[in-house]
Amino acid sequence: MNLEAARAALRDARRVAVLTGAGVSAESGIPTFRDAQTGHWARFRPEDLASPDAYRQDPDTVWEWYAGRYRDVLRAEPNGAHYLLAQLEGLKGNGFLLATQNVDGLHARAGSQRLVELHGNLLSARDEITGEVFALPDPDVLETPPVSPNGHRMRPNIVWFGEFLPEDALATASEAFASADVALVVGTSGVVYPAAGLALETLRQGGVVIEINPEETELTPLLSFSVRDVASRGLAALLGQAAS
Ligand code: APR
């Protein structure tokens, strides 16, 4: 398949499923989990901050880390890739689903609505007793650990190492990928579950899978076509527009 054929496939597709990863937010300046561990945080390993054990042992430190990342993502803005995916949803309507592994909330801020956040997000927290999810207050008035309107301590609304993905979000994504005419895999290394599984299911059902990534990934050899570019330009090329 070449770019022309990929564009035609996407244009004609009634059902489109998209999976995004950290690469989509790179142009918004959001550091990846590992890049964000600078200064004071450099001495922590990811699992020291993003695991149920770490939280049990030191909720204050874990919350301090997440509050910092919450401030970072609020300072960032969605980029052209986020907006183009919201635009694609507008074109495809009910036949569209965007599943993201990102926790920065930028897809929602760019207007995506048919969206599942497989790893949770930084902008909300979960009541530790009832499981209800509440938006975090403004960073200026955020006190950590935050307390829910029920009066219970809240934990970050993030899927941690060793935890399962939310069942309903994963089921929605699996269904969309299994029935997609075209799936896009944008800015994700493709090694972490569920990226590979979702794209392979589309292929198994006879759909087309197009990757957008400046680097080759482990998925590349299996897919229908790869756009070897950053997310905003790659999506613009696929959708037939100049990058916004
Ligand atoms: N545009 C598109 N892709 C890019 C860009 C860009 N501007 N810059 C980098 N990339 C690509 C990289 O080549 C890489 O393949 O984005 C990918 C990012 O890979 P990872 O850092 O592994 O991120 P991701 O795939 O989202 O990781 C999945 O793993 O660490 C856990 O829970 C975390 O959600 C994360 C999950």
Side-chain angles (χ1 to χ4, degrees):
M1 183 172 261
N2 59 25
L3 179 61
E4 242 353 278
R7 282 165 72 162
L10 182 58
R11 187 190 59 226
D12 297 341
R14 282 196 316 111
R15 303 183 66 91
V16 174
V18 183
L19 178 73
T20 62
V24 155
S25 292
E27 293 168 78
S28 293
I30 304 277
T32 62
F33 190 92
R34 280 173 180 79
D35 291 343
Q37 285 172 283
T38 53
H40 167 66
W41 298 109
R43 61 197 170 89
F44 292 88
R45 294 171 305 157
E47 50 280 22
D48 294 337
L49 296 164
S51 70
D53 260 0
Y55 187 62
R56 245 190 314 273
Q57 278 166 31
D58 191 352
D60 292 334
T61 299
V62 170
W63 259 115
E64 207 187 313
W65 155 256
Y66 279 103
R69 295 188 71 205
Y70 171 51
R71 291 191 182 92
D72 288 347
V73 300
L74 288 186
R75 273 194 293 266
E77 295 293 336
N79 66 60
H82 297 106
Y83 288 114
L84 285 169
L85 288 172
Q87 205 173 309
L88 185 59
E89 174 180 335
L91 293 173
K92 301 297 178 186
N94 286 341
F96 183 90
L97 185 81
L98 169 54
T100 188
Q101 299 165 94
N102 297 342
V103 294
D104 54 34
L106 291 180
H107 283 303
R109 280 173 59 197
S112 287
Q113 290 178 359
R114 300 188 57 79
L115 169 69
V116 294
E117 295 176 310
L118 295 168
H119 293 173
N121 74 62
L122 290 166
L123 282 59
S124 58
R126 210 153 74 213
D127 185 309
E128 286 182 22
I129 309 288
T130 68
E132 289 167 277
V133 171
F134 298 98
L136 283 175
D138 202 72
D140 302 337
V141 294
L142 174 65
E143 285 179 22
T144 57
V147 174
S148 79
N150 306 319
H152 308 140
R153 195 174 71 176
M154 296 205 286
R155 58 160 276 177
N157 185 27
I158 299 280
V159 178
W160 281 329
F161 291 106
E163 292 188 321
F164 292 112
L165 271 61
E167 233 170 78
D168 46 347
L170 189 56
T172 303
S174 301
E175 210 175 289
F177 275 79
S179 63
D181 304 311
V182 172
L184 306 181
V185 178
V186 191
T188 177
S189 52
V191 285
V192 177
Y193 180 83
L198 290 171
L200 295 180
E201 194 51 31
T202 304
L203 290 174
R204 213 178 350 257
Q205 304 291 337
V208 164
V209 183
I210 303 164
E211 170 186 64
I212 302 173
N213 198 310
E215 308 286 339
E216 193 163 313
T217 70
E218 287 190 25
L219 279 179
T220 302
L222 308 171
L223 304 184
S224 317
F225 184 64
S226 291
V227 181
R228 205 49 77 229
D229 206 342
V230 296
S232 61
R233 279 203 307 265
L235 277 166
L238 264 186
L239 291 166
Q241 303 163 10
S244 46

